[in-house]
């Protein structure tokens, strides 16, 4: 599934952020280090499924600080830390943190560093998690910073794609990836396209409503890799894709008037997938899907379609996030030796 690694020394030193064992951006990874990381995620699978037990993080405490709504990221990071024997303290929303009383990111980060061994932070402002990280030396993980990045999501997305391709006997090099939806404010696609760009000869169809296109700073960054990149405003341009990665329109990040070009024509449904893609296409979404009136998100009529990988994708969130903690806290080499039966 992965290429051989010729690197030596701890992975956490090779992916360090500003010299610290923190995960803020996918820019910290090369293809080689990402695949080395995925081998560690593979080791976590039996623990994630509770077929085996490990307590390598016994006594350690995670601070889960979520200043923006979340179900998957917050709970799966917490569950991942607990699966390795640690405990979790969390706070959700500004209202229930002292930031509501005017406390700065710097003070919050310094105070939390004295209480916990690692922090996962989600915050609505792009760049804010890096600010938390600068104020501390403990591991900090970016759980999503506004329209910036979502590196753990991109890692689990790439892990899912490689796992699905392995099952199908396909290689990621040379694949056609269609990204559909809000590519402007969707941080998961910002991180994922940068990770995918580490592979060779890809074709990206970037299909969005007008006004919600992938930002130029991301396109500039991936342009040096020589992939084919085709922006589009029509679903038909996903024709022949190996992966369809759909995203929710991030209505919380912009005014409703900007949504003018968004219509049912952007909904990825079973009819659309059958018309444009083959039996081996993988359909993904970081979730949540927006199921409210007027939303044209990934259709529920694909729920029983084996090509829909969204729940295999969410399941992969646990071993991938366990691997993040194991690597950043430097215990990945102890996990194999610590395994015991349930
Ligand atoms: N994919 C994702 O970040 O989901 P949550 O917002 O529920 O954490």
């Amino acid at each position: 599934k992965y290429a051989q690694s010729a690197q030596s020394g701890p992975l956490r030193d090779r992916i360090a952020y500003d010299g610290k064992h923190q995960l803020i951006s996918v820019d910290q990874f090369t293809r080689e280090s990402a695949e080395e990381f995925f081998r560690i995620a593979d080791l976590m699978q039996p623990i994630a499924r509770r077929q085996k037990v490990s307590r390598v993080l016994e006594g350690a405490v995670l601070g889960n600080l979520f200043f923006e709504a979340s179900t998957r990221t917050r709970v799966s990071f917490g569950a991942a830390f607990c699966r390795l024997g640690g405990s979790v303290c969390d706070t959700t929303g500004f209202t229930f943190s002292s930031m509501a009383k005017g406390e700065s990111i710097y003070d919050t980060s310094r105070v939390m560093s004295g209480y916990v061994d690692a922090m996962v932070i989600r915050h609505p402002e792009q760049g804010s998690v890096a600010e938390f990280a600068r104020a501390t030396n403990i591991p900090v993980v970016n759980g999503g910073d506004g329209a910036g990045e979502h590196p753990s999501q991109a890692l689990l997305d790439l892990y899912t794609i490689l796992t699905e391709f392995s099952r199908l006997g396909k290689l990621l090099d040379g694949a056609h990836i269609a990204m559909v939806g809000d590519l402007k404010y969707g941080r998961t696609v910002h991180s994922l396209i940068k990770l995918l760009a580490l592979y060779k000869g890809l074709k990206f169809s970037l299909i969005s409503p007008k006004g919600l296109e992938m930002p130029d700073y991301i396109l500039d960054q991936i342009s040096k890799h020589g992939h084919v990149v085709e922006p589009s405003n029509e679903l038909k341009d996903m024709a022949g894709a190996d992966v369809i990665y759909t995203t929710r329109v991030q209505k919380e990040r912009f005014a409703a008037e900007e949504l003018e070009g968004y219509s049912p024509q952007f909904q990825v449904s079973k009819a659309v997938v059958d018309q444009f893609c083959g039996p081996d296409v993988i359909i993904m979404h970081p979730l949540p899907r927006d199921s409210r009136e007027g939303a044209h998100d990934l259709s529920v009529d694909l729920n029983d379609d084996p090509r829909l990988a969204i729940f295999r994708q969410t399941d992969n969130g646990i071993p991938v996030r366990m691997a993040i903690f194991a690597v950043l806290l430097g215990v990945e080499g102890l996990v194999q030796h610590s395994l015991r039966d349930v």
Side-chain angles (χ1 to χ4, degrees):
K1 190 154 87 169
Y2 316 122
Q4 286 301 315
S5 172
Q7 300 294 313
S8 60
L11 177 58
R12 67 176 182 167
D13 292 344
R14 280 180 275 124
I15 62 164
Y17 178 81
D18 204 13
K20 298 178 189 175
H21 300 138
Q22 301 177 332
L23 176 57
I24 308 301
S25 165
V26 294
D27 295 340
Q28 293 167 241
F29 285 89
T30 60
R31 174 175 176 167
E32 203 165 36
S33 58
E35 294 197 352
E36 189 176 335
F37 171 80
F38 294 145
R39 281 196 198 92
I40 298 166
D42 281 348
L43 284 179
M44 301 296 172
Q45 287 283 10
I47 312 170
R49 294 180 190 144
R50 209 166 169 271
Q51 293 155 347
K52 294 279 180 187
V53 172
S54 168
R55 309 289 297 169
V56 283
L57 290 184
E58 188 156 25
V61 178
L62 172 69
N64 236 352
L65 276 63
F66 278 66
F67 300 104
E68 206 179 44
S70 171
T71 296
R72 267 148 298 278
T73 313
R74 185 171 66 84
V75 176
S76 63
F77 265 121
F81 208 80
C82 292
R83 287 269 187 238
L84 290 171
S87 312
V88 182
C89 295
D90 56 19
T91 181
T92 51
F94 284 99
T95 319
F96 296 103
S97 95
S98 281
M99 284 195 160
K101 295 180 267 184
E103 189 163 45
S104 66
I105 286 179
Y106 179 85
D107 283 2
T108 306
S109 186
R110 287 292 301 269
V111 169
M112 288 299 295
S113 309
Y115 298 163
V116 300
D117 301 283
M119 284 189 272
V120 178
I121 297 158
R122 173 171 286 188
H123 193 283
E125 282 167 34
Q126 191 165 345
S128 55
V129 182
E131 200 179 331
F132 270 96
R134 278 194 292 278
T136 181
N137 289 325
I138 69 168
V140 170
V141 180
N142 183 358
D145 61 327
E149 281 219 39
H150 197 342
S152 67
Q153 178 72 47
L155 285 166
L156 78 87
D157 291 341
L158 177 55
Y159 181 76
T160 302
I161 291 169
L162 291 172
T163 304
E164 297 281 317
F165 273 34
S166 172
R167 177 176 61 79
L168 295 166
K170 285 175 151 185
L171 290 177
L172 181 49
D173 289 321
H176 177 188
I177 314 287
M179 292 184 164
V180 181
D182 179 356
L183 306 184
K184 180 175 181 182
Y185 296 102
R187 57 192 167 208
T188 65
V189 283
H190 298 170
S191 292
L192 180 59
I193 197 168
K194 291 197 285 178
L195 266 190
L196 287 167
L198 300 173
Y199 287 76
K200 291 195 188 104
L202 299 186
K203 175 178 170 183
F204 291 109
S205 297
L206 303 180
I207 303 165
S208 65
K210 285 198 172 72
L212 295 180
E213 287 89 359
M214 184 70 78
D216 285 343
Y217 76 91
I218 304 272
L219 295 178
D220 288 347
Q221 191 174 334
I222 65 161
S223 66
K224 63 176 185 260
H225 296 279
H227 302 294
V228 175
V229 179
E230 293 180 350
S232 157
N233 303 116
E234 295 185 81
L235 280 187
K236 70 176 174 51
D237 290 319
M238 69 166 62
D242 298 292
V243 177
I244 306 169
Y245 191 97
T246 56
T247 64
R248 176 180 67 90
V249 171
Q250 311 269 305
K251 291 179 189 160
E252 67 274 30
R253 305 208 190 282
F254 58 92
E257 305 83 74
E258 282 187 58
L259 261 181
E260 243 173 73
Y262 182 56
S263 71
Q265 80 193 50
F266 283 97
Q267 184 167 54
V268 175
S269 62
K270 185 161 168 41
V272 166
V273 176
D274 286 344
Q275 185 179 358
F276 296 121
C277 297
D280 282 352
V281 67
I282 301 162
I283 306 160
M284 300 176 69
H285 191 304
L287 301 184
R289 270 188 285 192
D290 190 343
S291 58
R292 291 171 294 192
E293 182 91 24
H296 314 298
D297 211 327
L298 179 65
S299 173
V300 293
D301 72 0
L302 283 159
N303 278 6
D304 296 325
D305 192 310
R307 296 172 293 184
L308 189 75
I310 58 175
F311 299 116
R312 300 193 286 278
Q313 196 181 347
T314 48
D315 285 351
N316 284 333
I318 299 288
V320 165
R321 290 179 167 124
M322 290 169 73
I324 290 172
F325 292 130
V327 168
L328 295 183
L329 291 160
V331 299
E332 76 271 29
L334 302 177
V335 171
Q336 195 70 356
H337 305 292
S338 71
L339 291 181
R340 59 178 174 79
D341 291 332
V342 175

